[in-house]
Amino acid sequence: MCFGNKTELQGCHSNSTYNSTCNIVVESSMTIKCGLSNCSNYSITSTITAVRKADKLCKTDNQWPSTQQGQEARIPCPEGYSGEVTRKCLSNGKWDTTHTSESCTQNRLKEIENVLNKTGKLTADIVESSLSTISSILVVNDSTSSSNENKLADNDIKQSVDLISTISTKVSFTDQEAANKTTQIFMDIVSHILGPGKNNVASRYTNAHKKEKEKKVTSKILASVNSFAKSVTSALKVNQNVTVKKHNMLLSIEKIDNNTDIKFPKETEDSSQQTTHFVLPQGAFKNMRVTEVAFTAVKYENIGSEFISNNYTEVGSSVLSLTVNGLDSQHLEENIILSFQRKNVTGNSTECVFLWENNSDTHSVWNTSGCSLENSTDSQVNCSCNHLTNFAILMSYTEEIPKEDIKRLKIISVFGCSLSIIGAFVTIVLYIYFWRYIKSRRSTLVINLCSALCIAYLLFLTAVEHSENKTGCLIIAALLHYFFLAMFTTMLCLGIDLAVAVFDVFSSRSRSAIFLLVSWGLPAVIVAITLGGSQLEGYGDETYCWLRHTTLFGFIVPVLCIVLVNLIIVIFVMRRIYTSSFMMKKSLKEKTLSGLKGVCGLLPILGLTWVFGIFSVNQDLIIFQYLFAVFNSLQGLFIFLFYVALNPQMREAVARKIKIYDSKSSISKTSKTTKFVSTSYSEEEQNFEEREDGTAASNMFIIPRCSVQSKLFNKRQ
């Protein structure tokens, strides 16, 4: 029932029990109050929404009430769950095809959570009861068929993972029999979660988000297994063990004498057998000063791929795990020897790896530190590691650059980038210092190019490998993307400016503002679109803070387009120059030398050396990898050489500056000399001051607006 200014509104009095809608025409300011009356059920809640006539509404859809465009509708979670399910009414007045039920929590699991939180150390009875309830819920969820039920099942998995983690840290056992019984139930749940459960949780997400969800579940479960097993060892005596065998894992929790090697699995006492196993010599724990050693060994199947960020690497074996109570697992006295049976995975590169816990985001990543490949055959790989954790082998099935070449290319890049930063910085300083003599649109663009280059190369040298912090790595990758693109858009502007100077000799329009807007604005637009399109997932990985997967197209496509445009400009400019009457009078040798000088001067500012990057994709053409590394890492140095050291205009500006300085030093001698110097100085300023339209001489290339054919190379001869 609704009232306006205390008067009941016609058409808004309804006796319906659900989802009543009334239309009101408001002709003046009016206070409208709506509510429920004469309700026998006091638990009824009402949501009242007033909308304008022009607004679009999503119509009632089963339980979903009529909702205004752009708003979210909320309904209670299904029976047995607490929380709300939300669904968006889109701006076009249509319902979103999906809804969000992540806040729905299983009541029975919530009860278990309350019990666990209220209890300190958990007895075997409480743990067994809790685990049995969790297991029964997961079994029921396996039979769900509808998408809505699957989403609720996903929530149950996530709740169960959290409960498993809590139980593993609070459980306590007093005897081997109770520990064995509870461990069987515990590992049954773990087996389910690492199998279909983990996949179900991630199934509704895109590839990038899917791996993140799987990674969270797996990381938490692996930690929970080790923590739970440690509690089990307290109930074991020497030579006692608890063993669990599932279709996707094998677990052994044991306590042995300290003078015995740890071998796992027990069935593989003969290390010559073609199986996946490991041996930790007794010498590894000789400094523990204990008579007995408790350990947990696990072999996991079908896990590990969620910790790989690229598309050309696969886990090529089972995952072996070993934890020894009280042992410094980071510095073993003797290495653990691991033998992996290869899976049916192709690849020309094999690595022995371990799961390294990244403390910045609590997830793990595959790492090779401390592990070495001892020998391998087509079916077996033997590794040695100086620490304990989870181990496996990775197989790469794309051609990779040999490690010797990678090392050389890295040295070239670091050395070249350092020289480029110095060269670009010196160029900026000298251009600013001699600005009154070399002022032009081209000089402005060269300064901007050097600025972008300095920042991009500094970030590349100092931050590209700092991938520990996920958020920080994303920011670094986005900044690198932006400043490298800014380099190329500035090169594009330099190419266009060159074309204008040669082909539009009578133009006097100033384009500096437009060029600067394109140089710094266009990269920002491209980066923003790439960030949004990838949902922040395409920037950075566990190795480098740079673009990955399809996000790379946000860099490659603009770069290739700019290089192609500049290449076309250079071809047309050189053709124009070679067909000029001035060049026709020269000999073939003079034409060749002039052309080479011209192209060399254009290469560093137009980005044409990046063409080598196209050929460097083919690993067989390793020479292009080196050419690409040399020419592009030294770009700043080349700019300094061609546009400062070998630039006639810059040398003449330096000479004029020296002459002015010498003239000023003689002012105190005679007033006549002072007058002459002052007049000369003002004339020199006028001669060297370029107009904003760039009609005077430009850097390196002397490109006047008139008589371009006769003067283009004149000052360079």
Side-chain angles (χ1 to χ4, degrees), residues 503-519:
F503 295 103
D504 192 12
V505 296
F506 299 107
S507 175
S508 60
R509 289 179 55 193
S510 174
R511 298 179 178 84
S512 294
I514 297 175
F515 282 155
L516 292 179
L517 181 62
V518 172
S519 297

Side-chain angles (χ1 to χ4, degrees), residues 194-195 198 246-250 276 298-304 317-320 341 343:
L194 289 181
K198 177 186 66 175
K246 300 292 179 183
H247 71 281
N248 58 349
M249 67 172 57
L250 175 64
T276 296
V298 194
K299 182 173 77 168
Y300 297 100
E301 302 289 349
N302 303 321
I303 71 167
S317 67
S318 305
V319 174
L320 290 175
Q341 187 172 14
K343 290 184 178 180

Side-chain angles (χ1 to χ4, degrees), residues 662-674:
D662 292 340
S663 299
K664 283 184 176 180
S665 64
S666 63
I667 288 177
S668 58
K669 295 182 179 180
T670 64
S671 58
K672 183 177 180 181
T673 305
T674 302

Side-chain angles (χ1 to χ4, degrees), residues 191-211:
S191 174
H192 181 278
I193 293 175
L194 289 181
K198 177 186 66 175
N199 296 331
N200 288 340
V201 169
S203 61
R204 50 178 154 154
Y205 298 96
T206 58
N207 287 337
H209 284 95
K210 180 178 180 180
K211 282 204 171 185

Side-chain angles (χ1 to χ4, degrees), residues 44-100:
I44 290 177
T45 59
S46 174
T47 301
I48 300 172
T49 304
V51 298
R52 295 173 300 178
K53 189 175 182 180
D55 289 340
K56 295 179 181 178
L57 290 175
C58 289
K59 296 180 180 180
T60 303
D61 181 18
N62 293 326
Q63 295 183 357
W64 298 100
S66 179
T67 304
Q68 184 182 5
Q69 65 183 63
Q71 301 298 316
E72 279 189 345
R74 299 174 183 274
I75 61 173
C77 293
E79 185 179 354
Y81 290 82
S82 302
E84 290 182 325
V85 184
T86 61
R87 189 180 185 188
K88 186 74 175 288
C89 177
L90 304 177
S91 58
N92 59 0
K94 302 293 184 181
W95 284 110
D96 193 349
T97 55
T98 61
H99 61 263
T100 303

Side-chain angles (χ1 to χ4, degrees), residues 176-241:
Q176 191 259 357
E177 184 178 350
N180 182 52
K181 184 179 179 181
T182 307
T183 303
Q184 300 295 328
I185 304 174
F186 183 89
M187 295 307 295
D188 188 54
I189 296 172
V190 168
S191 174
H192 181 278
I193 293 175
L194 289 181
K198 177 186 66 175
N199 296 331
N200 288 340
V201 169
S203 61
R204 50 178 154 154
Y205 298 96
T206 58
N207 287 337
H209 284 95
K210 180 178 180 180
K211 282 204 171 185
E212 280 300 313
K213 296 296 180 183
E214 289 182 345
K215 191 185 293 187
K216 285 181 180 179
V217 171
T218 305
S219 296
K220 207 162 190 176
I221 286 297
L222 294 182
S224 298
V225 169
N226 288 333
S227 180
F228 182 88
K230 189 174 182 180
S231 300
V232 173
T233 58
S234 63
L236 300 180
K237 296 178 181 179
V238 176
N239 296 327
Q240 281 189 333
N241 68 82

